[in-house]
Amino acid sequence: MMTKGEMTRQRIIEAAAPLFNKKGFEGCSIQDVVEATGIAKSGLYKHFESKEELAAASYQFAWGQVSKVRIQGIEKVDGSVQKLRYAVRRFVETPGIFPGGCPLLNTAIDTDDGNPVLRKLALASKTKWKDWLCGIVRDGVTRGEIRVGVEPRLVANTIIATLEGTLMISRLEGNVATMRDAQTALEWMLNGIAAS
Amino acid sequence: MMTKGEMTRQRIIEAAAPLFNKKGFEGCSIQDVVEATGIAKSGLYKHFESKEELAAASYQFAWGQVSKVRIQGIEKVDGSVQKLRYAVRRFVETPGIFPGGCPLLNTAIDTDDGNPVLRKLALASKTKWKDWLCGIVRDGVTRGEIRVGVEPRLVANTIIATLEGTLMISRLEGNVATMRDAQTALEWMLNGIAAS
Amino acid sequence: MMTKGEMTRQRIIEAAAPLFNKKGFEGCSIQDVVEATGIAKSGLYKHFESKEELAAASYQFAWGQVSKVRIQGIEKVDGSVQKLRYAVRRFVETPGIFPGGCPLLNTAIDTDDGNPVLRKLALASKTKWKDWLCGIVRDGVTRGEIRVGVEPRLVANTIIATLEGTLMISRLEGNVATMRDAQTALEWMLNGIAAS
Amino acid sequence: MMTKGEMTRQRIIEAAAPLFNKKGFEGCSIQDVVEATGIAKSGLYKHFESKEELAAASYQFAWGQVSKVRIQGIEKVDGSVQKLRYAVRRFVETPGIFPGGCPLLNTAIDTDDGNPVLRKLALASKTKWKDWLCGIVRDGVTRGEIRVGVEPRLVANTIIATLEGTLMISRLEGNVATMRDAQTALEWMLNGIAAS
DNA sequence: ACCTACGGGACGTCCCGTTTAT
DNA sequence: ATAAACGGGACGTCCCGTAGGT
């Protein structure tokens, strides 16, 4: 069971995560969190040692939410290429899962010259995501669904790069439809690596 | 010829641009610019009405520098597909042209929930870049170098998205080599759209 | 007889009353009471529902102590004017009965823009004191010791005002001797209202 | 001429003085002043080194306002006893000059176990007031308007004590009319000291 | 052209009154 | 009966962007 304190901690995280994701670490003030939670500043510091710790927990929460949605239902998909296609489709179709967009993209840029703790978390997210995609590709090669010689890392990196890049663009343009272009292009690539 | 005032203005911009690009609009303080230029705080206000105006000029400068390098030499390249290939290669091979990385990427994320003036500039950059790529594709179709039916917008968007996305990843990983994966993938795509 | 719990309650009050009287309601913290009693903070809450209740009980105790001393021996005094004279003298001669000075004065000022519960208690004290003095005056008129037409309320109010006012001054000056001036002036007044 | 900063300082004092007078030094928070002035906390600290300095300046202002009103018009009054009578009357008739009541009374009690800086200011006010009254009495004796042998200090102290005491009572009762009783009693006293 | 003053947002800490769990 | 947890108000400082005064 959850103690009252743990529940409050969770409540804070859930309120803070969208703010940090939207405004960035520096851009989101403790005062913002205070207003969003209704909890006084010093109350927040009872649950988190520092703003950094709160931001880190918020990132983890946000990324957890986002990745949960992005892989949802993939276990029912058969075939490695189909799985990759599905993963791309899920991403493209859920651009607004979390307020402020993709936490990985935001945090990676936001911390480029900034907070190293958050940066590490973003890197870890990215690595895990890449490894997961690599695994699918490798499986596909093993099972003969993907052509031998296809570099799993290259496929994974391209998928991630193209998706995140297109997300950035679509947000800049305020037009989610743009993401379909990336989807199409990635499907071309997947067709290309599929074993004939 | 440049007046003394204009030269000072230019000197400020050149010093400020890397700072804004690295730290973002909020993250870069006037004080930072003071230290970089050696000009007093209120001295800066003689040349720029506000921090925003300075940041805007800095962005324009940074983007100008970056895009100049990225298209450098393309006029000597023959053939639309070749031109696109070249554009991709230039991007991949010049990841560190400007301190802080790609101003478009940085500003797009930085201003996602922030400064609308800078946001507009970023969008304009992106649009111009896209239109330029679209033009090349369209040319290619006209000249029979690219298959009929290929959507210029899709190609342009995919190139930009993949390149910017991979830049983000390579910066996060601290490993520029990753960008080669994106290059390879984009070359597959370009092969795919080339007229047989 | 007193139960153990009641004794503890009483012990707390006796320790807290001087603190509240000296520091005021806001100025005296529960922690102060903890240190004075050696009882843990949450232990206090077994005996009092809130700080306010503790402060109220403390006020009642303090006022009880003070007024007991101030009327001590008056039953042996004959004659209304003599009684009034005696009351004034007792007040003047016992300026340090209770640590922190007169609870009525302190609480009246302290709660002027503050706690209404304590304020009511102070008002009740004052009213009771005034009524008691009024009674003596009225008696004196009835018995022919005080001139007809003398307003009991005026006499009572003046005695209280002058005594409390002089107490304030003497505390401010750190010089108790000043109170003799008030005593003299009040005796002039009492001489004035005495029936010739 | 007043610089902008000096004007702001004055504006702060005028807004803060009623607050400190009503709530006391501890009871009035910087946040209260922030809200009353619309100036941010750190803005206030540009004009005052500490809360104490702000409170001191506020006290001086409040006391200045109050005493200005209380002596207003006295220069037109002839005769020492008449002057004293006038001073009493002014006090009684202007009980609400300043929000929160008499700053001297409030500060004297508020700082009884508290701030020594403010305490000193209150004492200084009281001393000056007393000396002023003493001067009038002494003059009266010299000019033969007041009986020889009358102790100026006693008269001054009694006037102050009775007025401040009655102010406290009237505020506690929420009834300003009570102050007339003190006025009457003080006039008896003044009649008593007047040379026949 | 600079130095200083100005007013502001955010930060993290202190201690407080109260409640919860032991 | 106590220790620990909880949420809160207030504090004073830092640095920021901007505006005046010299």
Side-chain angles (χ1 to χ4, degrees):
Chain A
M1 195 213 144
M2 244 185 181
T3 76
K4 191 186 168 203
E6 281 162 351
M7 283 180 58
T8 304
R9 186 185 155 98
Q10 194 56 30
R11 187 160 64 84
I12 293 168
I13 290 172
E14 291 178 20
L19 298 177
F20 277 113
N21 199 42
K22 273 187 274 192
K23 304 167 162 235
F25 179 67
E26 301 285 354
C28 173
S29 74
I30 296 287
Q31 184 57 25
D32 292 335
V33 182
V34 166
E35 280 160 19
T37 57
I39 292 175
K41 187 150 41 141
S42 54
L44 298 178
Y45 278 90
K46 289 277 160 59
H47 296 279
F48 302 91
E49 285 238 321
S50 62
K51 186 184 175 185
E52 195 176 67
E53 189 191 319
L54 171 54
S58 296
Y59 174 79
Q60 297 286 41
F61 173 75
W63 180 249
Q65 295 290 102
V66 161
S67 39
K68 192 174 69 187
V69 171
R70 285 182 184 160
I71 62 167
Q72 209 166 59
I74 202 161
E75 69 283 353
K76 295 186 204 136
V77 178
D78 281 336
S80 300
V81 177
Q82 283 303 97
K83 270 189 205 299
L84 295 172
R85 237 189 277 273
Y86 183 85
V88 169
R89 183 150 60 81
R90 282 297 288 176
F91 189 104
V92 167
E93 290 178 350
T94 58
I97 335 163
F98 202 82
C102 178
L104 170 57
L105 178 60
N106 293 339
T107 307
I109 302 299
D110 185 45
T111 65
D112 190 66
D113 191 78
N115 197 294
V117 171
L118 293 177
R119 189 156 190 76
K120 251 180 199 158
L121 293 179
L123 178 54
S125 306
K126 193 265 157 186
T127 303
K128 208 176 149 197
W129 187 12
K130 189 185 65 180
D131 289 348
W132 178 71
L133 289 171
C134 282
I136 297 175
V137 175
R138 217 164 356 238
D139 263 24
V141 175
T142 307
R143 296 203 247 146
E145 294 163 13
I146 293 177
R147 288 217 309 267
V148 175
V150 166
E151 192 72 72
R153 192 204 65 248
L154 188 152
V155 175
N157 274 337
T158 302
I159 290 174
I160 294 174
T162 307
L163 290 177
E164 292 291 351
T166 201
L167 193 54
M168 182 271 279
I169 286 171
S170 75
R171 290 188 69 85
L172 182 58
E173 290 185 326
N175 174 16
V176 175
T178 308
M179 299 185 74
R180 289 291 175 192
D181 289 347
Q183 185 184 6
T184 305
L186 286 173
E187 286 183 348
W188 290 351
M189 180 183 76
L190 294 179
N191 290 339
I193 65 168
S196 54
Chain B
M1 194 209 144
M2 250 183 183
T3 74
K4 192 185 164 213
E6 281 163 350
M7 281 181 61
T8 306
R9 186 185 154 99
Q10 193 56 28
R11 187 161 63 84
I12 294 168
I13 291 172
E14 291 179 21
L19 298 176
F20 277 114
N21 199 41
K22 273 188 274 191
K23 301 165 164 243
F25 179 67
E26 300 285 353
C28 173
S29 74
I30 299 282
Q31 183 59 24
D32 292 333
V33 180
V34 166
E35 281 159 21
T37 57
I39 293 174
K41 232 203 282 201
S42 39
L44 297 176
Y45 278 83
K46 293 281 163 184
H47 297 280
F48 302 92
E49 286 236 319
S50 65
K51 183 185 177 185
E52 194 176 67
E53 190 191 319
L54 172 53
S58 297
Y59 175 80
Q60 298 287 42
F61 173 75
W63 181 248
Q65 294 290 102
V66 161
S67 39
K68 192 174 67 189
V69 172
R70 283 182 185 160
I71 62 168
Q72 208 166 59
I74 200 158
E75 68 282 357
K76 297 183 204 140
V77 178
D78 279 337
S80 300
V81 177
Q82 282 304 98
K83 271 191 204 296
L84 294 173
R85 239 189 277 272
Y86 182 84
V88 169
R89 182 150 62 81
R90 282 298 287 175
F91 189 104
V92 167
E93 290 178 348
T94 58
I97 338 163
F98 202 81
C102 178
L104 169 57
L105 178 60
N106 293 340
T107 307
I109 301 297
D110 186 43
T111 64
D112 189 67
D113 191 77
N115 197 296
V117 171
L118 293 176
R119 188 156 190 76
K120 251 179 199 158
L121 293 179
L123 178 55
S125 306
K126 193 264 157 187
T127 303
K128 210 177 148 196
W129 187 10
K130 188 184 67 179
D131 289 347
W132 178 71
L133 289 171
C134 281
I136 298 176
V137 176
R138 218 167 353 241
D139 265 22
V141 175
T142 307
R143 295 203 247 147
E145 295 162 14
I146 292 177
R147 289 217 308 267
V148 174
V150 166
E151 191 73 69
R153 193 206 63 248
L154 188 153
V155 175
N157 274 338
T158 302
I159 289 174
I160 294 174
T162 306
L163 289 177
E164 292 291 348
T166 202
L167 194 54
M168 182 270 281
I169 287 172
S170 74
R171 292 189 68 85
L172 182 58
E173 291 185 325
N175 176 15
V176 174
T178 308
M179 299 185 73
R180 289 291 174 192
D181 290 345
Q183 186 184 5
T184 306
L186 285 173
E187 286 183 347
W188 291 352
M189 180 182 77
L190 294 179
N191 290 341
I193 65 167
S196 54
Chain C
M1 196 210 142
M2 252 185 181
T3 74
K4 193 186 162 213
E6 280 164 348
M7 281 181 61
T8 306
R9 184 185 156 98
Q10 193 56 28
R11 187 162 63 83
I12 294 168
I13 290 173
E14 292 179 19
L19 298 176
F20 278 113
N21 199 42
K22 273 188 276 192
K23 300 162 164 244
F25 179 66
E26 300 285 352
C28 171
S29 74
I30 298 282
Q31 183 58 25
D32 292 334
V33 180
V34 166
E35 281 159 21
T37 57
I39 293 174
K41 230 205 281 202
S42 39
L44 297 175
Y45 278 83
K46 292 282 165 185
H47 298 280
F48 302 92
E49 287 236 320
S50 66
K51 184 185 177 183
E52 194 177 66
E53 190 191 318
L54 171 54
S58 297
Y59 174 80
Q60 297 288 41
F61 172 75
W63 180 248
Q65 294 291 102
V66 161
S67 40
K68 192 173 69 188
V69 171
R70 284 180 184 162
I71 62 168
Q72 210 168 58
I74 200 159
E75 69 281 355
K76 297 185 203 137
V77 178
D78 280 337
S80 301
V81 177
Q82 283 303 98
K83 271 189 204 298
L84 294 174
R85 237 189 276 274
Y86 181 84
V88 169
R89 182 150 61 82
R90 283 297 288 174
F91 189 104
V92 167
E93 290 178 349
T94 57
I97 339 163
F98 202 81
C102 179
L104 168 57
L105 178 59
N106 293 340
T107 306
I109 301 298
D110 186 43
T111 64
D112 189 67
D113 191 78
N115 197 296
V117 171
L118 293 177
R119 188 157 190 77
K120 252 180 199 159
L121 293 180
L123 178 55
S125 306
K126 193 264 157 185
T127 303
K128 209 176 148 196
W129 186 11
K130 188 184 66 178
D131 289 348
W132 178 71
L133 289 171
C134 281
I136 297 175
V137 175
R138 217 164 356 239
D139 264 23
V141 174
T142 308
R143 295 204 247 146
E145 295 163 14
I146 293 176
R147 289 218 309 266
V148 174
V150 166
E151 192 71 71
R153 192 205 63 249
L154 189 153
V155 175
N157 274 336
T158 302
I159 290 173
I160 294 174
T162 306
L163 290 177
E164 292 291 350
T166 201
L167 193 55
M168 183 271 280
I169 286 173
S170 74
R171 292 189 68 85
L172 182 58
E173 291 185 326
N175 176 14
V176 174
T178 308
M179 299 185 74
R180 289 294 174 190
D181 290 347
Q183 187 184 4
T184 306
L186 286 173
E187 285 182 349
W188 290 353
M189 179 182 77
L190 295 178
N191 290 339
I193 66 167
S196 55
Chain D
M1 192 213 147
M2 243 185 182
T3 77
K4 191 186 168 204
E6 280 161 352
M7 281 180 61
T8 305
R9 186 185 155 99
Q10 195 55 29
R11 187 161 63 85
I12 294 169
I13 290 172
E14 291 179 20
L19 298 177
F20 277 113
N21 200 41
K22 273 188 273 190
K23 303 166 163 237
F25 179 67
E26 301 285 354
C28 172
S29 74
I30 297 286
Q31 184 57 26
D32 292 334
V33 182
V34 166
E35 281 160 20
T37 56
I39 293 175
K41 186 150 41 141
S42 53
L44 298 177
Y45 278 90
K46 290 276 160 59
H47 297 278
F48 302 91
E49 286 238 320
S50 62
K51 185 184 175 185
E52 195 177 67
E53 189 190 320
L54 172 54
S58 297
Y59 174 79
Q60 299 285 43
F61 172 75
W63 180 248
Q65 293 291 102
V66 161
S67 38
K68 191 176 67 188
V69 172
R70 284 181 184 161
I71 62 168
Q72 209 167 60
I74 201 159
E75 69 282 355
K76 296 185 204 139
V77 179
D78 280 336
S80 300
V81 176
Q82 283 304 97
K83 269 190 205 296
L84 295 173
R85 238 189 277 273
Y86 182 84
V88 169
R89 181 150 62 80
R90 282 298 288 175
F91 189 104
V92 167
E93 290 178 349
T94 58
I97 335 162
F98 201 81
C102 179
L104 169 57
L105 177 60
N106 293 339
T107 306
I109 302 297
D110 186 44
T111 63
D112 189 67
D113 190 77
N115 198 294
V117 172
L118 293 176
R119 188 155 191 76
K120 251 180 199 157
L121 294 180
L123 178 55
S125 307
K126 192 263 157 186
T127 303
K128 208 177 150 196
W129 188 11
K130 188 184 65 178
D131 290 348
W132 178 72
L133 289 171
C134 282
I136 297 176
V137 175
R138 217 162 359 235
D139 263 23
V141 175
T142 307
R143 295 202 247 148
E145 293 164 14
I146 292 177
R147 290 217 309 266
V148 175
V150 166
E151 191 73 71
R153 192 204 65 249
L154 188 152
V155 175
N157 273 338
T158 302
I159 290 173
I160 294 174
T162 306
L163 290 177
E164 292 291 350
T166 202
L167 194 54
M168 182 269 281
I169 287 171
S170 75
R171 289 188 69 85
L172 182 59
E173 291 185 325
N175 176 15
V176 174
T178 308
M179 299 185 74
R180 289 293 174 190
D181 290 345
Q183 186 185 5
T184 306
L186 286 172
E187 286 184 347
W188 290 351
M189 181 183 77
L190 294 178
N191 290 339
I193 65 168
S196 54

